[in-house]
Structure formats: C-alpha cells, structure tokens
Amino acid sequence: MLTFEELGLKPEILKAILEIGFENPTPIQEKTIPHLLTTQQDLIALAQTGSGKTAAFGLPVINQIDADSKRTQAIILCPTRELAIQIAKDFDAFTKYTKKLDVLPVYGGSSIEAQIKSLNKGAQIVVGTPGRVVDLINRKKLKLEDIQWVVLDEADEMLNMGFKDDLDFILSHTPESRQTLLFSATMSREVLRISNDYMNSPEEISSGKRNQ
Ligand code: ADP
Ligand code: MG
C-alpha cells in the first residue's frame, strides 16, 4: 500500500492530511493523484460513494494552484448546495498549511450579491452548482480565462438532475487548454456524451464496485 508521501504531494498538504487523520490513500486516490500531478491528460474516474473522491481531485489540484495569483484557476461543479459547502469545507482543511488559497462555494437559493463580492476579492478555487455558475458567468463576474481545471463531481447525478445544458454552457466557455476531470459513480450514456464532447482522450480509472 502506498503512502501519501509517495504520491508526490507538498509537505504543507501532507501535514494537513495527517492532521485530518487520513493514514493511507484510498484506491481511487492512489490512482488519480499521481496521474493528476504528472500529466495534463483528461481523466474519468469511476468510483462508488464514500471512496474518497473529494481528496482524489482536491489534493492534486490544490498542490498545483498558483497561490500568488488571485485569479480563478479551478472550478468544481457538483449537484447540490450541500455538496458544494462540504467540498469547500474539505478544501479548507486540505489548504490549512498552504499559502493562502481562497475556496469559494457558490450555489442558488443564497444571495448572489454576496457571492459576487467574494469573487471580486478573488478566489482561486470556485465550487458550485451548475445553475449558479452559469449565472455568474453570464454576469461576467466569474472570469474563466485562467481556468486550468474543471472538475465534474457526481457527473451522473448532475445529469440526472437536468444540468445537462448548464454543463454544456460551462464546458464550452472554459479554455480549451483546461484539464477536465469527471468523477462519477456510474457510467451512463449521458456521462459518455459529455466525455465525448468535452474531453480529449481521457484516461479512465475505476476503483472497486461502481454504484448500480
Ligand atoms: P466520495 O466523494 O467518493 O463519496 P468523500 O470524498 O466524500 O467520498 O469521502 C468519504 C469519507 O471518507 C469522508 O468522510 C472523508 O473524509 C473520508 N476519507 C477520504 N479519504 C480518506 C483517506 N485516505 N483515509 C481515511 N478517510 C478518508
Ligand atoms: Mg463525493
């Protein structure tokens, strides 16, 4: 079994992981983290709920964000407000000892003005539900030029919930040079279409039993 040290993460991130209490990477983390730290290749990761997907995409993205720039470099898309809040909270724990990184959750049913204010101050990582992210892009408050990573978390759920058009909009407005990471418990026809339309020869990683 590999250790987090062996995966190539920075010491300040290892310190935070140790404090959180993770001892060894889960199987999906063991496969995705080295891939994301060493290649620009797109990635589809299929793994069941509870397999540690947030750290699987979060740790390598955080490891590579430029903390000296306040510009938004990563967008994480997820199906619900609760998930956006949870992911942002996990990222705050992962970044406890890094140079200051702002992680901003954005979602509907909550004041867009407050979110715009936070965006104006600069957030290197935005975690949001697709509808609100589209609103912020349309209002030109969320700038996409420096996006290097787009993560689709629970892609199957987002598609089941009817976010297909929003995902199309967001993916077609982010730089072609981005690395696109798709995490899903299941591989549906719609997930495959998103991957065919917006990903470049993705590496496919799966771990354990997928959800049915
Ligand atoms: P998923 O997104 O695959 O459903 P999460 O990323 O939410 O899974 O992780 C599920 C739980 O496992 C969380 O409570 C998280 O803190 C914990 N966890 C993640 N990675 C590890 C690890 N390497 N060691 C121990 N616990 C972990
Ligand atoms: Mg998850």
Side-chain angles (χ1 to χ4, degrees), residues 68-107:
D68 293 325
S69 161
K70 293 292 266 180
R71 304 181 69 105
T72 304
Q73 298 158 53
I75 296 189
I76 321 296
L77 298 166
C78 62
T80 65
R81 130 207 313 247
E82 288 73 23
L83 258 171
I85 293 169
Q86 183 60 48
I87 292 168
K89 204 168 137 213
D90 289 352
F91 273 46
D92 283 337
F94 300 151
T95 56
K96 182 166 173 193
Y97 297 107
T98 62
K99 211 164 162 189
K100 186 163 162 50
L101 281 181
D102 288 297
V103 182
L104 179 68
V106 298
Y107 42 79

Side-chain angles (χ1 to χ4, degrees), residues 48-55 57 78-79 83 86-87 90 153-154 183:
Q48 64 194 120
T49 307
S51 55
K53 292 193 283 294
T54 307
F57 58 77
C78 62
L83 258 171
Q86 183 60 48
I87 292 168
D90 289 352
D153 187 29
E154 307 216 3
F183 285 75

Side-chain angles (χ1 to χ4, degrees), residues 18-33:
L18 189 72
E19 194 172 294
I20 294 164
F22 295 177
E23 288 178 356
N24 293 97
T26 65
I28 195 74
Q29 291 165 3
E30 200 175 289
K31 291 178 185 166
T32 55
I33 294 171

